[in-house]
């Protein structure tokens, strides 16, 4: 099956590019230490081996890792550059952060929300629009528009969490706490777990976001033997659809309350607070409990401050609901809130779930490899202007998360020359292609397993497989097998 993934420079619409500003270098707070999986340990290629012009002449090397095949059937090569190569390629001015520019975007997005509310509340009345179905449709449009602007606010708080909003940590965390609290997001709790996601992207035992099930885990979950997964019948499209609906409706609050899609190895928490705990309801693994194994003891005050922000927002919402009516508040706030959740989950899902992307077992993971296990997509004007480019420049964001979004286009272009064939993007059909990708990934990406021809370290590089007969078929296993240890040598 041919891949729709471009490994070179994606199509760009100059009209949608953001203005580039002068900046200075800064250290990325999410860069890993040299103590665990240091990117400096990655082999350093020659300059010609990572240039875009030389990509067509490269021959896949399978001597050390065997033949690694992604879900599209394309041969995969493990990234062979270092984090220093990435940082050195980025123009120094791309690193500069501007508080004035960051605050401008905050006020702009708030103005969008306020203006939209004023116009609809003032003019969309029974007197002006007496036909009820028309009013319902227009208020539906209101919730969609507010959801887009609300997502923009969410992204700006995300910038604050990465300290890419300004050079002031106090300003960053103050703005981030206010913005995220207004969207019922526990800012510091999210910031801490999200930082861990960045430090372990693509790591099957440490990542915090959309960690896929291994073949063994998938089989156990549905009550099958490991070898039987390759023999399952196709999942009906209605099941896929309902799964997606559930994911988009409750995926975000479910993640905050149960750590669904995050790793489930809490026994390894350094302070022992994960002993006997697992993801799920009422298990103590959540983003609200200072004793959660997602955090350390030193984080307790920050978790409490996050909870305080939520309590303030909920109190304000209760006052507004009692004063203006809960039906009105449902339309004014809660439906747009669901749209924000939808976009957040969709964006994150598609940044880390694609038939071309690998995931790594501990023995095969390092920071450079994990950061490359992400993909850029395209959502046109909405993505680049209203959502501040979080969809279009995500690969760069995983390498250097302190670069502000308004400099990310230029920086992204720069690192593509280093990443070469390892860069992943899917920009076909723009925003329509983004929506299509949700369905394609849901159908093709059901669990991960090693490639059949993998050997050595390559057995720790896992790719998506499915029971729907799409793309590369699952590995054939004998019924007499006692079990398969993912990534283990023979």
């Amino acid at each position: 099956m041919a891949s729709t993934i471009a490994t070179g420079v994606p199509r760009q619409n100059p009209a949608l590019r953001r203005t580039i500003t002068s900046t200075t270098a800064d250290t990325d707070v999410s860069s890993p230490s040299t103590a665990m999986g240091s990117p400096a340990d990655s082999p350093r290629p020659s300059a010609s081996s990572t240039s875009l012009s030389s990509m067509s002449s490269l021959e896949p090397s399978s001597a050390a890792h065997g033949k690694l095949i992604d879900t599209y059937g394309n041969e995969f090569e493990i990234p062979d550059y270092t984090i220093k190569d990435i940082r050195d390629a980025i123009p120094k001015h791309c690193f500069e952060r501007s508080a004035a520019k960051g605050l401008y975007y905050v006020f702009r997005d708030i103005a969008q929300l306020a203006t939209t509310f004023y116009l609809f509340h003032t003019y969309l009345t029974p007197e002006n629009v007496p036909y009820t179905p028309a009013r319902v449709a227009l208020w539906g449009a209101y919730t969609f528009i507010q959801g887009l602007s609300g997502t923009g606010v969410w992204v700006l708080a995300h910038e604050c969490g990465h300290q890419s909003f300004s050079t002031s940590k106090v300003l960053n965390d103050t703005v981030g706490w206010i913005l995220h609290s207004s969207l019922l997001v526990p800012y510091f709790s999210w910031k801490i777990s999200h930082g861990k996601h960045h430090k372990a992207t693509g790591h099957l035992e440490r990542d915090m976001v959309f960690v896929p099930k291994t073949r063994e885990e998938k089989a156990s979950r549905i009550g099958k033997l490991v070898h039987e997964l390759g023999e399952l019948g196709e999942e009906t499209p209605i099941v896929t659809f309902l799964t997606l609906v559930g994911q988009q409706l409750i995926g975000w609050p479910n993640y905050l309350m149960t750590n669904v899609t995050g790793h489930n190895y809490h026994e390894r928490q350094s302070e022992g607070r994960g002993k006997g705990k697992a993801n799920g309801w009422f298990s103590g693994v959540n983003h609200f409990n200072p004793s959660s194994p997602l955090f350390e003891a030193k984080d307790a005050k920050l978790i409490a401050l996050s909870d305080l922000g939520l309590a303030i927002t909920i109190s304000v919402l209760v006052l507004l609901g009692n004063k203006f009516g809960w039906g009105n508040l449902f339309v004014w706030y809660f439906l747009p809130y669901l749209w924000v959740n939808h976009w957040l989950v969709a964006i994150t899902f598609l940044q880390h779930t694609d038939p071309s992307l690998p995931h790594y077992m501990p023995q095969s993971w390092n920071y450079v490899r994990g950061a490359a296990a992400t993909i850029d997509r395209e959502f046109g004007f909405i993505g680049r202007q209203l959502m501040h480019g979080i969809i279009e420049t995500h690969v760069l964001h995983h390498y250097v998360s302190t670069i502000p979004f308004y400099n990310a286009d230029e920086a992204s272009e720069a690192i593509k020359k280093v990443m070469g064939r390892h860069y992943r993007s899917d920009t076909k059909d723009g925003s329509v292609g983004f929506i299509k990708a949700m369905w394609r990934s849901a159908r093709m990406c059901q669990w991960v397993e090693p490639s059949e021809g993998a050997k050595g370290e390559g057995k720790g590089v896992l790719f998506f497989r499915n029971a729907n007969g799409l793309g590369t078929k699952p590995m054939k296993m004998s019924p007499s097998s006692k079990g398969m240890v993912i990534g283990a040598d023979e």
Side-chain angles (χ1 to χ4, degrees):
M1 178 176 178
S3 169
T4 61
I5 302 301
T7 54
V9 180
R11 294 180 289 108
Q12 295 278 344
N13 183 345
L16 296 179
R17 294 179 61 83
R18 291 183 288 276
T19 303
I20 306 302
T21 60
S22 251
T23 57
T24 57
D26 195 273
T27 301
D28 183 5
V29 295
S30 71
S31 292
S33 69
T34 56
M36 180 178 291
S38 170
D41 295 335
S42 301
R44 185 183 182 91
S46 66
S48 63
S49 71
T50 55
S51 66
L52 290 175
S53 61
S54 66
M55 284 167 53
S56 60
S57 63
L58 288 168
E59 292 297 331
S61 174
S62 58
H65 307 113
K67 193 170 185 179
L68 309 180
I69 303 297
D70 70 18
T71 319
Y72 285 123
N74 298 323
E75 188 161 354
F76 176 83
E77 296 176 62
I78 296 175
D80 52 1
Y81 47 85
T82 71
I83 190 64
K84 185 178 186 302
D85 295 328
I86 292 288
R87 295 187 70 92
D88 288 350
I90 300 171
K92 299 301 181 185
H93 62 263
C94 289
F95 290 87
E96 183 169 307
R97 301 157 290 174
S98 167
K101 183 165 285 190
L103 289 171
Y104 158 75
Y105 282 106
V106 169
F107 290 126
R108 188 203 74 170
D109 286 2
I110 292 175
Q112 288 172 187
L113 289 165
T115 301
T116 301
F117 177 80
Y118 172 79
L119 292 175
F120 276 80
H121 182 259
T122 303
Y123 298 106
L124 189 52
T125 62
E127 293 77 19
N128 293 331
V129 185
Y131 187 52
T132 300
R135 281 203 315 280
V136 170
L138 289 171
W139 275 112
Y142 161 89
T143 68
F144 177 75
I145 295 169
Q146 294 292 72
L148 295 177
S149 296
T151 304
V153 170
W154 204 106
V155 173
L156 292 177
H158 170 267
E159 292 272 300
C160 292
H162 282 290
Q163 306 302 307
S164 60
F165 185 80
S166 77
T167 58
S168 169
K169 186 175 186 298
V170 173
L171 177 62
N172 293 338
D173 286 340
T174 300
V175 173
W177 180 75
I178 292 172
L179 295 183
H180 260 175
S181 295
S182 71
L183 295 170
L184 296 177
V185 177
Y187 171 73
F188 290 104
S189 307
W190 161 84
K191 175 184 172 182
I192 293 166
S193 68
H194 189 68
K196 293 180 179 180
H197 157 60
H198 270 257
K199 291 177 181 178
T201 305
H203 191 301
L204 283 167
E205 296 183 5
R206 288 175 48 219
D207 200 353
M208 302 293 293
V209 173
F210 280 106
V211 180
K213 296 286 186 291
T214 63
R215 181 166 180 158
E216 286 182 313
E217 292 168 339
K218 178 71 173 179
S220 176
R221 185 173 183 179
I222 63 176
K224 299 290 184 179
L225 298 176
V226 175
H227 77 273
E228 292 178 321
L229 280 191
E231 304 167 2
L232 291 179
E234 177 183 356
E235 178 180 270
T236 60
I238 188 63
V239 171
T240 305
F241 175 75
L242 292 176
T243 301
L244 273 176
V245 169
Q247 172 182 289
Q248 298 309 119
L249 278 177
I250 64 171
W252 173 242
N254 196 17
Y255 172 71
L256 292 178
M257 291 186 283
T258 71
N259 197 45
V260 66
T261 82
H263 79 75
N264 204 15
Y265 290 85
H266 306 297
E267 293 276 353
R268 302 174 184 176
Q269 205 274 345
S270 60
E271 298 172 338
R273 54 173 55 199
K275 187 175 182 180
K277 294 184 178 180
N279 295 343
W281 293 97
F282 312 114
S283 66
V285 183
N286 59 63
H287 282 76
F288 309 104
N289 183 356
S291 299
S292 171
L294 300 180
F295 315 117
E296 282 74 48
K298 63 182 176 61
D299 302 321
K301 291 181 179 179
L302 294 176
I303 309 309
L305 186 56
S306 299
D307 294 344
L308 175 62
L310 299 184
I312 293 172
T313 300
I314 292 171
S315 298
V316 172
L317 291 173
V318 170
L319 290 173
L320 292 174
N322 290 338
K323 183 174 182 178
F324 297 104
W326 287 94
N328 286 332
L329 189 63
F330 181 74
V331 175
W332 295 343
Y333 179 89
F334 287 107
L335 285 179
Y337 166 80
L338 289 178
W339 275 114
V340 172
N341 289 356
H342 156 72
W343 290 120
L344 169 62
V345 173
I347 291 167
T348 310
F349 173 64
L350 289 181
Q351 286 169 340
H352 300 284
T353 309
D354 187 85
S356 70
L357 297 180
H359 284 76
Y360 295 90
M361 294 300 292
Q363 69 272 18
S364 300
W365 181 92
N366 67 31
Y367 182 80
V368 166
R369 295 173 181 180
T374 57
I375 186 168
D376 287 342
R377 301 188 188 273
E378 178 64 54
F379 209 59
F381 175 85
I382 290 175
R384 292 184 174 273
Q385 301 301 322
L386 299 185
M387 297 181 182
H388 307 299
I390 195 171
I391 296 169
E392 291 79 9
T393 58
H394 190 68
V395 176
L396 165 78
H397 176 67
H398 266 277
Y399 278 118
V400 192
S401 62
T402 50
I403 291 180
F405 72 89
Y406 42 80
N407 292 335
D409 274 326
E410 183 181 10
S412 289
E413 292 300 319
I415 70 168
K416 289 174 188 176
K417 298 174 184 177
V418 174
M419 294 185 69
R421 65 197 182 280
H422 305 295
Y423 172 76
R424 293 290 181 269
S425 71
D426 182 359
T427 61
K428 183 179 179 181
D429 298 329
S431 54
V432 174
F434 180 87
I435 302 301
K436 288 180 178 178
M438 289 189 64
W439 180 258
R440 181 172 64 249
S441 292
R443 294 289 287 171
M444 296 185 72
C445 305
Q446 294 185 332
W447 71 84
V448 292
E449 64 179 54
S451 298
E452 201 155 6
K455 60 182 181 180
E457 189 183 31
K459 292 185 178 182
V461 185
L462 280 56
F463 295 92
F464 286 107
R465 300 293 186 255
N466 62 81
N468 295 325
L470 301 174
T472 304
K473 293 181 180 180
M475 188 187 307
K476 292 182 178 180
M477 300 184 66
S478 168
S480 60
S481 298
K482 294 183 179 180
M484 177 180 69
V485 180
I486 299 296
D489 290 330
E490 296 177 352

